[in-house]
Amino acid sequence: MAICNGRSGQLETVDADILVVGSGAAGLSAAVHAAMAGANVLVIDKGIIGKSGSTVSAVQSAAAGKWSTAQDSLEAYCRDLLASGKGLSDPQLVHTFVDHLERVLDQLIAWGLQLDRDASGEIVRTEAAGHAFARSISAAGGNTGRALLKTLIRQANRLPKLGKMPFTACVQLLVRQQQISGALVYDLLHNRFRLIRCKSLILATGGIGQLYHVTTNPQQATADGFALALRAGVRLIDMEQVQFYPTSLVVPHHAKGFCLSFYHFAKVYNARAERIMQRYDPVRLENVPRDAICYAIAKEIREGRCTPQRGLLLDVSEHVQRVRTWFPHEYKFLRQLGIRLEAEPVEIAPAAHFMMGGARINRAAMTHIEQLYAVGETAGGLHGANRLANNALPECLVFGAIAGESAARYARTASHFNDVDGEMLWATVHRYEAIVSRGAAAPEQALRPFHWKQQIQRTMTEHVSVLRDESGLRAAEQHLRDLSEQWAEVRVSGFPHRLAKDFLEMLEVENMLLTARAIAAAARAREETRGAHVRLDHPDSSPQLVRVEVQQVEGRLEVRRQLQAEGGNR
Amino acid sequence: MKVVIRRSADKGGGEQTFEIADAPGETIVELLELIRRQHDPSLAFYYSCRNGLCGTCMMLVNGKPALACLQKIPSRLDGPLTIEPLPGKQLVSDLVVL
Ligand SMILES: Cc1cc2nc3c(=O)[nH]c(=O)nc-3n(C[C@H](O)[C@H](O)[C@H](O)COP(=O)(O)OP(=O)(O)OC[C@H]3O[C@@H](n4cnc5c(N)ncnc54)[C@H](O)[C@@H]3O)c2cc1C
Ligand code: FES
């Protein structure tokens, strides 16, 4: 069998000043800004460039400065972010974010992004729970993520120094003496490893939704960046802070997890026809940030006041016109499924949506490893214990730009590539060769990677969802350990056919297992309830603010609880 | 149920017929997942968002362009169900185009 290309002792090597891993809003923003600043940039994606991440699905973006409402201010925006983060948002990141948002939006508009406007030509700005002002803007009639990607790709295509490689998965970050020297990648089309040497590497691999059975996230959200970062020694923070989208479809099966963004002006009922938020938050009712309503919905479901499919009912019949205007895709999608919002409530439940935690970064979006950046959903620290609606896209744009510019500045001064740790590289290549050379499993056998994916999803859904407790988290950690041990049995089928899925899924499972363990461990270490992290056995927030950090040290996950001064985190 | 899939040159080319006895799910994506898990692990197809936005799952189903993530498996069929890559695009492998 033709196996990878390791045995020849040679790896095809590609050089770039800056390697960007992932082509969502964060990766493309980084790539374009870096190439505009004169650097040689290569973007890789394990899927199709610009169409494989969560970005494509995003509906709106928050805005600042002239793009926001006149009454709004940067101070007000910072206040909202810090309040929503419940002590865990890093004030340095919050201020950096807010300070740069206007100019990053200016750039996109200059590159051709057209914001949605009303009949009088005014930019449409809408409200969202937790934002004190109407600062949500959109493009392409509410297909904002897609419009941003189009704009960035158009701009990327104008830049000769920006190269793109689709169907190329990052397998390992090559770090030596706390400095990045490149990455080992796998070309899924030609089934071969490659070495990419770079002076800076920007990790922009998106989120973790696929760790759970029901998610709003795309297929590719398999937590790769978190695991790549952990293996490179990067510190991850707030990994227990997983946001679940409170109102996602329960039926039909194939559309499970589709998220309905209009809950803040709808009503949520349990199976006893009680409007549940009258009990949980009688003043603000449904117009609350996601952590609050998610908790209420999950609690009702747990206590059995739900439909037979374990859902609650979302009624927006009084405001269907608003849905049609602001969320046309959602309206159309539901119509196609035969759901008529005018006539009936929709069955909803929480679905895994967004990872607030991630790589610990500084104001330049750099991890503590020299010239290794993390941006977008893979980075942690901005949203703390709860992300407000529409703050993810602008996070990608801002920190992508900052990382790209910083890396480009470095490229101008750095004359050479750091030495690659050849031993580490070949050990990885040989390990995968050994797995592949065990031979294929019969197609239907449970030894293939997808089987592990299902098991990880089962255990994370059962024990590490919205409501958690010590014994469940311990059970999850045990099950994940067992799955890691059984991994020695895995078989890869379909190899070496072009884009056969088992090889990629093998890489993904390893990333999912490690990240899932980090999440469960962080969740067990945070013995309190804060934001999206709800501990049934510790229902209150502790008066002391603690930050949970996870790092892999000599192959073992270390979990550290660091006491924070209130209002700061360094 | 008979499913005929057009394979690319690197997978032997031509049309391949699968006899599907198992419950294939509701959509074409679910059907293709089942085929690659239980019948032919070399089958290449692509999808991402599962909600009709990214467009990467577009293929010909019984001759008509359709988003495989949303397209229901027809409940009544006169002949076999045919699945082919979208024409007019760069063919990458089997049902995957760029
Ligand atoms: C349904 C939905 C609706 C949303 N709505 C909104 C909204 O209205 N407003 C808002 O602000 N936010 C919204 N969000 C959140 C927001 O879309 C995401 O957080 C954000 O787009 C993430 O962007 P990213 O660039 O970090 O990652 P992504 O866009 O997810 O891109 C990551 C890319 O990395 C690639 N990749 C992953 N691993 C590897 C690897 N090992 N090697 C190579 N490539 C890899 C993936 O294929 C993918 O293309 C929504 C999310 C979802 C799922
Ligand atoms: S998977 Fe995105 S449109 Fe079908």
Side-chain angles (χ1 to χ4, degrees):
Chain A
M1 183 191 304
I3 285 180
C4 315
N5 53 351
R7 299 254 183 259
S8 69
Q10 282 271 320
L11 278 186
E12 187 190 330
T13 304
V14 179
D15 289 345
D17 285 338
I18 301 168
L19 172 62
V20 179
V21 183
S23 66
L28 286 177
S29 173
V32 167
H33 281 269
M36 297 277 294
N40 221 309
V41 183
L42 176 62
V43 185
I44 64 168
D45 200 294
K46 66 180 175 178
I48 296 174
I49 299 276
K51 292 184 177 177
S52 305
S54 292
T55 302
V56 121
S57 307
V59 185
Q60 295 178 310
S61 170
K66 64 174 159 303
W67 305 111
S68 181
T69 310
Q71 304 80 348
D72 197 359
S73 66
L74 299 187
E75 295 73 38
Y77 198 176
C78 283
R79 266 201 306 280
D80 291 347
L81 268 152
L82 291 168
S84 172
K86 303 197 166 57
L88 294 184
S89 288
D90 179 340
Q92 280 196 46
L93 296 183
V94 168
H95 286 108
T96 306
F97 168 70
V98 167
D99 288 347
H100 287 262
L101 182 51
E102 182 179 11
R103 68 128 179 142
V104 172
L105 289 172
D106 287 346
Q107 276 285 8
L108 283 156
I109 308 279
W111 295 336
L113 179 73
Q114 293 191 1
L115 299 181
D116 290 334
R117 291 173 186 267
D118 62 20
S120 62
E122 269 295 298
I123 293 172
V124 178
R125 300 177 180 90
T126 58
E127 288 171 358
H131 288 281
F133 294 96
R135 57 169 81 97
S136 300
I137 54 170
S138 63
N143 284 331
T144 311
R146 208 161 66 176
L148 285 174
L149 291 169
K150 268 198 180 152
T151 306
L152 288 166
I153 287 179
R154 213 181 316 119
Q155 187 62 15
N157 290 341
R158 295 183 188 125
L159 298 165
K161 285 182 149 189
L162 197 162
K164 306 186 214 80
M165 262 188 209
F167 302 118
T168 301
C170 182
V171 178
Q172 187 173 35
L173 305 179
L174 301 170
V175 173
R176 197 177 187 195
Q177 292 165 349
Q178 300 287 304
Q179 292 191 323
I180 193 79
S181 54
L184 175 67
V185 306
Y186 193 77
D187 172 345
L188 297 154
L189 282 183
H190 305 97
N191 282 297
R192 65 165 85 109
F193 286 102
R194 281 208 183 94
L195 165 63
I196 300 181
R197 296 194 306 169
C198 60
K199 296 170 184 168
S200 306
L201 190 146
I202 301 176
L203 202 51
T205 49
I208 57 126
Q210 292 296 329
L211 292 178
Y212 294 86
H213 262 317
V214 183
T215 176
T216 65
N217 286 195
Q219 270 322 90
Q220 292 77 16
T222 50
D224 296 14
F226 305 91
L228 290 166
L230 277 171
R231 289 191 207 101
V234 171
R235 302 181 182 124
L236 304 188
I237 48 170
D238 304 338
M239 289 301 285
E240 73 285 0
Q241 297 292 347
V242 180
Q243 179 169 82
F244 287 78
Y245 201 87
T247 50
S248 308
L249 280 188
V250 173
V251 280
H253 177 76
H254 74 267
K256 243 181 154 84
F258 182 79
C259 62
L260 304 177
S261 318
F262 47 81
Y263 76 78
H264 54 295
F265 56 83
K267 297 174 184 159
V268 178
Y269 292 96
N270 66 16
R272 295 186 193 157
E274 296 162 337
R275 187 171 175 190
I276 62 165
M277 293 312 285
Q278 283 172 339
R279 212 166 349 106
Y280 290 91
D281 200 323
V283 177
R284 297 180 299 172
L285 296 165
E286 287 82 3
N287 192 13
V288 289
R290 292 171 185 170
D291 54 344
I293 191 160
C294 217
Y295 168 75
I297 294 172
K299 201 86 199 290
E300 293 297 300
I301 294 174
R302 186 184 174 95
E303 290 169 8
R305 292 184 287 276
C306 54
T307 66
Q309 328 244 33
R310 300 186 69 70
L312 261 54
L313 297 166
L314 183 72
D315 176 9
V316 76
S317 54
E318 288 170 25
H319 298 292
V320 177
Q321 198 45 47
R322 275 163 91 177
V323 178
R324 292 181 75 158
T325 316
W326 294 345
F327 306 101
H329 175 70
E330 292 175 26
Y331 183 78
K332 226 175 85 195
F333 187 86
L334 293 174
R335 276 306 276 254
Q336 276 166 6
L337 297 176
I339 298 172
R340 292 189 58 242
L341 294 174
E342 299 80 355
E344 54 186 342
V346 197
E347 223 171 313
I348 53 89
H353 184 59
F354 183 85
M355 174 45 110
M356 265 84 71
R360 186 169 203 155
I361 55 169
N362 65 16
R363 263 184 294 195
M366 208 195 295
T367 66
H368 76 281
I369 291 174
E370 202 47 48
Q371 291 306 314
L372 173 56
Y373 300 82
V375 291
E377 203 167 326
T378 309
L382 177 67
H383 308 290
N386 178 59
R387 170 171 74 79
L388 289 180
N390 308 327
N391 269 354
L393 279 185
E395 171 188 27
C396 292
L397 298 173
V398 166
F399 288 100
I402 289 175
E405 288 159 353
S406 169
R409 271 196 301 280
Y410 176 77
R412 279 200 290 276
T413 60
S415 55
H416 63 278
F417 295 103
N418 291 319
D419 287 341
V420 168
D421 185 340
E423 214 170 297
M424 179 162 109
L425 180 91
W426 285 109
T428 307
V429 173
H430 292 149
R431 193 167 69 74
Y432 289 118
E433 281 185 339
I435 295 181
V436 170
S437 62
R438 271 184 227 147
E444 75 286 1
Q445 259 185 28
L447 292 169
R448 289 169 59 199
F450 70 80
H451 165 72
W452 272 264
K453 276 194 177 174
Q454 290 169 334
Q455 294 292 320
I456 296 166
Q457 289 166 350
R458 208 190 78 195
T459 205
M460 291 300 282
T461 304
E462 193 171 331
H463 299 301
V464 200
S465 284
V466 182
L467 308 174
R468 305 160 173 184
D469 61 27
E470 166 96 19
S471 69
L473 292 169
R474 278 190 189 281
E477 286 178 283
Q478 184 57 49
H479 191 199
L480 293 167
R481 264 196 302 275
D482 294 346
L483 289 172
S484 299
E485 277 170 24
Q486 290 155 16
W487 188 239
E489 307 285 314
V490 71
R491 293 281 198 281
V492 173
S493 294
F495 188 84
H497 285 291
R498 256 179 180 228
L499 293 184
K501 290 196 178 182
D502 276 20
F503 194 94
L504 176 61
E505 283 203 311
M506 163 181 72
L507 302 175
E508 290 175 340
V509 166
E510 293 188 351
N511 294 329
M512 288 168 71
L513 270 175
L514 183 56
T515 308
R517 283 174 49 213
I519 294 172
R524 193 156 62 81
R526 185 172 288 289
E527 293 181 321
E528 62 161 348
T529 290
R530 190 175 292 270
H533 172 69
V534 179
R535 285 283 298 257
L536 295 169
D537 48 349
H538 296 280
D540 299 318
S541 296
S542 99
Q544 274 179 337
L545 196 57
V546 167
R547 164 137 275 161
V548 179
E549 186 178 277
V550 187
Q551 188 178 21
Q552 183 160 289
V553 182
E554 287 167 7
R556 281 196 10 261
L557 280 185
E558 273 185 13
V559 182
R560 291 186 280 267
R561 302 168 78 244
Q562 299 162 341
L563 218 56
Q564 306 288 308
E566 191 70 50
N569 69 6
R570 261 162 222 269
Chain B
M1 166 180 176
K2 245 194 193 43
V3 183
V4 177
I5 300 182
R6 179 175 315 273
R7 307 299 298 267
S8 52
D10 60 309
K11 311 274 173 65
E15 292 179 337
Q16 195 177 343
T17 305
F18 296 93
E19 282 291 346
I20 308 295
D22 346 41
E26 289 171 61
T27 61
I28 299 296
V29 156
E30 288 172 297
L31 169 67
L32 294 171
E33 270 296 345
L34 181 126
I35 292 178
R36 77 112 185 156
R37 287 179 184 191
Q38 304 199 351
H39 301 266
D40 184 350
S42 75
L43 180 67
F45 59 102
Y46 193 89
Y47 62 105
S48 178
C49 70
R50 293 171 300 125
N51 60 29
L53 281 168
C54 72
T56 60
C57 66
M58 183 78 93
M59 49 187 77
L60 294 185
V61 178
N62 279 343
K64 288 205 203 85
L67 293 172
C69 68
L70 300 182
Q71 180 66 46
K72 292 265 181 64
I73 301 164
S75 50
R76 288 170 42 111
L77 278 170
D78 296 333
L81 178 69
T82 67
I83 308 181
E84 300 159 275
L86 198 66
K89 298 261 181 184
Q90 182 193 332
L91 182 63
V92 180
S93 184
D94 289 343
L95 303 170
V96 185
V97 296
L98 263 184

